Amino acid sequence: MRNSGTQPPSELVDALDAAQRLVCVGHVNPDADCLGAMLAIARVWGRGENCTATVALPEKTLSKRLAFMVEWAKVPLACNNDLISAHTIVVADTAKPTRCNVAEDLPENWLANRNVLNIDHHVTNTRYGSLNWVVDSAASTSEMVFSLLRGANKAIDATTASLLYAGIYTDTVGFSVSSTSGNTLRAAAELVDLGARVGSLCERIGRSQRPEEFRLTRLFYENTRLSEDGLIAYSKAGHDEIRSTGCGPEDIDNQVHIPRSMDGIKIAILFTEGPEGRTRINFRGEQNTRVLELAQRFGGGGHNEAAGAVLDCPVDEAVAKVVPVAMEVINKQSG
């Protein structure tokens, strides 16, 4: 079998094999890539006779649309005591420790003096782990974890294959963005051969909206606007608007594809005020436009084509701050 990407460091495999109590952590509002990576590692290493593995998914942080992945994985959820007492912490798909998806009442220094294995593909990763495996050329962290399992000679069953396929498929937007490489496609093909449930996955991810999710989608379509020059498309939803649909912050995931679908744009932006007075911003670049520098202007990070940031202000104020800067970035890169 081919390896799907950069060979994982032997020290990473050794650290995972030596772990006795393992907790897998991802980023806030975990997407399918984050979940696929976390759950696959916990499933595989949790099977060992000397290791117990859990995943950190605090209440109201998991999208209902993606809850099926946790149901399929059948991995125990971690409590605060698990995080404090764990022998090893795996942090997947998370660029910096302040983005870790853990309970608010956990001490701020909970990662201090811990054996932290940092596995990620974000170019802005701050290398905060005891061991850092960061491959910013990888299309997804799930692709990296597939490579990790292959490098560690671990068996991959149909459920684990499905979880990793979901991560790769969604982070490449159905294998449609430039980060999709031959290695990405080979990994996906091998996962299909290993039993990944492609039909079920795509139905659950793309064609199974609950009525409240459909109302949220309609809201984003109604709120989509174009800049005067047609180069920026953005949509927004305030705190009360989101609540009125029956959804919460955990249900905001890939809706940036709505403004992104506009023809001829260079930047798509989604503004969502989940917690009142705090606006999450998702940026996507088209026509070779790099949005990472735009996100970094507002304290965020990510990738050149897909990035994000958070502003402590209501959604309309965030729109007023960000859209003019996005225009500046387009002009700068065009010049």
Side-chain angles (χ1 to χ4, degrees):
M1 291 286 190
R2 295 183 181 93
N3 191 285
S4 71
T6 301
Q7 187 70 21
S10 59
E11 302 96 316
L12 175 60
V13 176
D14 292 343
L16 285 165
D17 285 343
Q20 299 173 354
R21 293 187 306 280
L22 177 69
V23 179
C24 295
V25 179
H27 59 71
V28 293
N29 302 117
D31 57 10
D33 182 35
C34 180
L35 289 170
M38 291 168 57
L39 294 168
I41 290 172
R43 275 179 58 83
V44 170
W45 269 275
R47 293 182 191 138
E49 294 181 1
N50 300 318
C51 180
T52 59
T54 58
V55 294
L57 286 170
E59 189 177 359
K60 295 185 179 180
T61 63
L62 177 63
S63 162
K64 295 180 182 67
R65 185 175 64 92
L66 299 177
F68 77 93
M69 294 179 68
V70 180
E71 294 166 5
W72 285 8
K74 293 182 170 61
V75 173
L77 299 185
C79 63
N80 280 4
N81 186 59
D82 293 322
L83 284 159
I84 292 168
S85 63
H87 178 269
T88 299
I89 306 285
V90 173
V91 186
D93 199 43
T94 305
K96 51 188 178 182
T98 54
R99 292 284 294 164
C100 286
N101 188 32
V102 294
E104 292 182 359
D105 59 348
L106 201 67
E108 286 188 15
N109 64 342
W110 69 278
L111 276 181
N113 303 314
R114 312 296 297 282
N115 186 30
V116 178
L117 309 181
N118 171 21
I119 303 173
D120 189 23
H121 73 130
H122 291 91
V123 67
T124 52
N125 190 285
T126 59
R127 272 69 172 179
Y128 52 84
S130 312
L131 192 155
N132 301 291
W133 185 38
V134 179
V135 184
D136 56 43
S137 61
S140 67
T141 302
S142 290
E143 180 182 331
M144 293 174 61
V145 171
F146 176 67
S147 179
L148 171 65
L149 298 183
R150 280 287 186 232
N153 295 314
K154 299 294 184 181
I156 302 174
D157 63 15
T159 295
T160 302
S162 298
L163 297 169
L164 293 175
Y165 185 93
I168 295 172
Y169 177 81
T170 55
D171 241 37
T172 59
V173 195
F175 310 104
S176 69
V177 295
S178 62
S179 60
T180 306
S181 67
N183 283 327
T184 306
L185 296 172
R186 281 188 287 271
E190 287 192 36
L191 290 167
V192 172
D193 290 341
L194 289 164
R197 307 169 204 168
V198 177
S200 296
L201 281 169
C202 292
E203 180 179 348
R204 296 295 291 269
I205 290 171
R207 302 190 300 277
S208 297
Q209 283 195 341
R210 296 171 292 120
E212 53 268 39
E213 290 174 307
F214 189 86
R215 290 193 292 270
L216 183 66
T217 299
R218 183 172 60 191
L219 174 66
F220 285 127
Y221 273 108
E222 291 173 347
N223 287 354
T224 295
R225 301 289 184 268
L226 268 176
S227 60
E228 288 186 9
D229 58 10
L231 297 180
I232 299 171
Y234 65 91
S235 188
K236 65 185 180 73
H239 175 268
D240 292 342
E241 288 180 303
I242 294 170
R243 295 295 180 185
S244 72
T245 68
C247 291
E250 68 275 10
D251 297 307
I252 307 298
D253 183 13
N254 67 340
Q255 293 93 340
V256 69
H257 75 83
I258 293 170
R260 192 180 193 181
S261 66
M262 299 290 286
D263 181 47
I265 65 165
K266 290 194 172 184
I267 293 179
I269 314 174
L270 184 72
F271 299 89
T272 53
E273 186 184 359
E276 193 166 6
R278 188 171 174 83
T279 300
R280 176 183 170 191
I281 311 164
N282 296 94
F283 302 100
R284 296 294 184 270
E286 293 290 331
Q287 302 186 53
N288 298 315
T289 306
R290 301 178 301 279
V291 294
L292 177 57
E293 65 174 288
L294 174 57
Q296 289 175 321
R297 292 272 291 271
F298 295 98
H303 308 282
N304 279 325
E305 294 181 351
V310 177
L311 291 181
D312 288 322
C313 63
V315 67
D316 288 330
E317 186 177 331
V319 172
K321 289 180 177 179
V322 171
V323 172
V325 179
M327 293 179 179
E328 290 177 16
V329 167
I330 290 173
N331 292 333
K332 174 185 172 184
Q333 293 184 17
S334 299

